[in-house]
Amino acid sequence: MTIQINTDKTIIANEEQSSSFVAMIEEELSRFSEQITRIEVHLSDENGNKEGLNDIRCLIEARLEGKQPIAVSADADTDEQAVSDAIDKLKNSMDTILGKLKSY
């Protein structure tokens, strides 16, 4: 599973923070590691440099082996919370999609 972190020009992600996000994704999605070939994380600040509530957006796109990609997004006040919320949404989507495939 390849994980790529992308940010917009208003969010500066240093190596330590990116490594933290990668570790969080690998841990939370470990049970799906055989089905996921690539994950792309896009972090953006919807208000730019202005202050605001829930202005950090995390979009996660997971590419599944032999299937269409899945994309989920979450908005939060911090980068970490946005990534965590998006991971939770992705896990729920993966459970639903892979659960339906097993029932056939």
Side-chain angles (χ1 to χ4, degrees), residues 68-85:
Q68 291 291 319
I70 300 170
V72 296
S73 66
D75 297 327
D77 293 332
T78 64
D79 301 347
E80 293 81 13
Q81 189 61 48
V83 170
S84 178
D85 291 350

Side-chain angles (χ1 to χ4, degrees), residues 16-87:
E16 183 179 320
Q17 189 177 32
S18 293
S19 296
S20 171
F21 291 151
V22 168
M24 185 186 325
I25 291 166
E26 287 176 339
E27 179 181 334
E28 293 290 325
L29 299 177
S30 63
R31 65 184 170 148
F32 302 114
S33 63
E34 290 183 15
Q35 290 89 6
I36 298 174
T37 58
R38 179 179 178 88
I39 290 184
E40 289 189 38
V41 178
H42 301 275
L43 285 168
S44 60
D45 188 337
E46 297 299 303
N47 292 341
N49 291 329
K50 296 182 277 183
E51 294 289 323
L53 295 175
N54 292 330
D55 65 337
I56 305 296
R57 170 165 289 163
C58 177
L59 173 85
I60 298 180
E61 181 180 351
R63 298 187 181 271
L64 304 177
E65 194 170 287
K67 313 252 180 314
Q68 291 291 319
I70 300 170
V72 296
S73 66
D75 297 327
D77 293 332
T78 64
D79 301 347
E80 293 81 13
Q81 189 61 48
V83 170
S84 178
D85 291 350
I87 290 170

